[in-house]
Amino acid sequence: MFYKLFRKIGLKLRSNKGMANESTTTTLTEAIPTIVEAALLELDDGSIIKPLVRNIPFPGPGVTHETPFITKITAETDTNLANQALDSGGSDETSPSSATVGEHGATVLIKDLARMGAISDIAIAAGQLIGQCLVVRQEADLAALFSSFTPNQGDANEDIVVADLYAAYQSLREGHAPLPYNLVITPGQFWGTVGVITLMETTSGKIQSQALGSVQEDVARNGFTGKILGFDIFTSTNITTTSNNASGAAFSRNAIKYVEKQGIKLEVDRVIVGEVGDQITGTDYHGEAILRNKFGSEMQFNEVT
């Protein structure tokens, strides 16, 4: 319709395909600005394990914190009593539990020109990343203790089964570990193809709740179950995975102690010699140790098939 109209009034439609000297985004690259928005920070897990263990403030002198144990005594069957010594050296635990405070830190130098040229507040980003990496250090140090528990379930190249959870719970109860009990594993050990999530399947050898009918397990309704066979479940990416296998742990609060000499502290210093800018430094002084060996159980299993 329009083509006929244009011809009637004497206009000709021409194609400019292949014509030279076109103005494009390529020829005008230098004139087209690149818009940079505020940077997104790479994230890590927050503090997951630390709130689950015994936190002990350690101000004042000294860098080694020790917790001795006194062995239990036995009640006689009559009143013909014999003296029993209170012994702090013969406990079936490692006595004393010893944690040595270590130094941890991270620092960033932000030069003035970089700070002035950035679209967002680089100092705030640096502070967030420094704080985050120190939290990761705390969590990684605590997670490294999981493989130190003498009681253990699973092994290298093994998949978790329901009996492992039963055995871990039994071990904690026989060790007189107070409730509640936590199970901290990797996301792969929970969501992996041979992880805890597969124990919810309604097949032989799994955890089933047929009485729930069409509702079935919380994991089917909500995609996550926060408690299983008496354990509160947490996942942490700060547990080291080696060749598809990792050591999580089932434990009571007093299984591990976290000794804090000084919490995370951020300081800003002005640098004007050699470089000109702001030096942002974060420090943290803490130690960690197995407190009650029988209050924990290593859970070493695969993540995927």
Side-chain angles (χ1 to χ4, degrees), residues 180-207:
Y181 296 158
N182 304 303
L183 177 63
V184 182
I185 53 181
T186 70
Q189 287 176 314
F190 186 88
W191 293 106
T193 55
V194 291
V196 172
I197 199 73
T198 63
L199 301 182
M200 308 299 174
E201 298 170 356
T202 54
T203 56
S204 177
K206 308 296 183 178
I207 303 171

Side-chain angles (χ1 to χ4, degrees), residues 200-218:
M200 308 299 174
E201 298 170 356
T202 54
T203 56
S204 177
K206 308 296 183 178
I207 303 171
Q208 304 178 52
S209 293
Q210 302 293 353
L212 294 177
S214 60
V215 176
Q216 290 302 326
E217 304 290 349
D218 280 349

Side-chain angles (χ1 to χ4, degrees), residues 178-288:
L179 295 166
Y181 296 158
N182 304 303
L183 177 63
V184 182
I185 53 181
T186 70
Q189 287 176 314
F190 186 88
W191 293 106
T193 55
V194 291
V196 172
I197 199 73
T198 63
L199 301 182
M200 308 299 174
E201 298 170 356
T202 54
T203 56
S204 177
K206 308 296 183 178
I207 303 171
Q208 304 178 52
S209 293
Q210 302 293 353
L212 294 177
S214 60
V215 176
Q216 290 302 326
E217 304 290 349
D218 280 349
V219 69
R221 289 180 290 168
N222 303 318
F224 179 76
T225 178
K227 199 174 187 74
I228 181 171
L229 296 180
F231 292 103
D232 294 322
I233 298 181
F234 301 87
T235 61
S236 172
T237 58
N238 291 310
I239 299 173
T240 300
T241 300
T242 303
S243 300
N244 187 42
N245 191 265
S247 288
F251 58 93
S252 179
R253 180 174 299 277
N254 282 338
I256 295 173
K257 68 177 182 180
Y258 175 88
V259 178
E260 185 174 85
K261 195 72 172 176
Q262 174 198 285
I264 294 175
K265 181 179 180 181
L266 291 176
E267 299 176 282
V268 180
D269 295 308
R270 187 66 182 161
V271 177
I272 56 175
V273 178
E275 306 283 0
V276 179
D278 294 325
Q279 190 83 44
I280 304 176
T281 302
T283 54
D284 173 44
Y285 299 87
H286 70 262
E288 64 288 324

Side-chain angles (χ1 to χ4, degrees), residues 5 10 21 78 96-97 115 138 155 162 175 190 195 255 275 277 279-280:
L5 178 61
N21 300 323
D78 53 34
S97 168
R115 174 179 54 79
Q138 294 173 354
D155 206 340
V162 177
F190 186 88
E275 306 283 0
Q279 190 83 44
I280 304 176

Side-chain angles (χ1 to χ4, degrees), residues 10 25 27 32 44 78 83 93 110 131 155 159 162 175 205 229-230 256 289:
T25 55
T27 63
I32 300 175
D44 279 301
D78 53 34
N83 284 328
E93 300 280 359
I110 301 177
D155 206 340
D159 302 338
V162 177
L229 296 180
I256 295 173

Side-chain angles (χ1 to χ4, degrees), residues 75-131:
E76 303 286 0
T77 58
D78 53 34
T79 57
N80 185 22
L81 305 180
N83 284 328
Q84 300 183 62
L86 298 182
D87 184 2
S88 63
S91 172
D92 56 2
E93 300 280 359
T94 301
S95 181
S97 168
S98 181
T100 301
V101 173
E103 302 172 297
H104 310 279
T107 190
V108 173
L109 173 63
I110 301 177
K111 293 186 177 181
D112 283 352
L113 185 58
R115 174 179 54 79
M116 291 184 289
I119 192 171
S120 58
D121 194 328
I122 298 299
I124 292 178
Q128 290 177 332
L129 290 174
I130 289 172

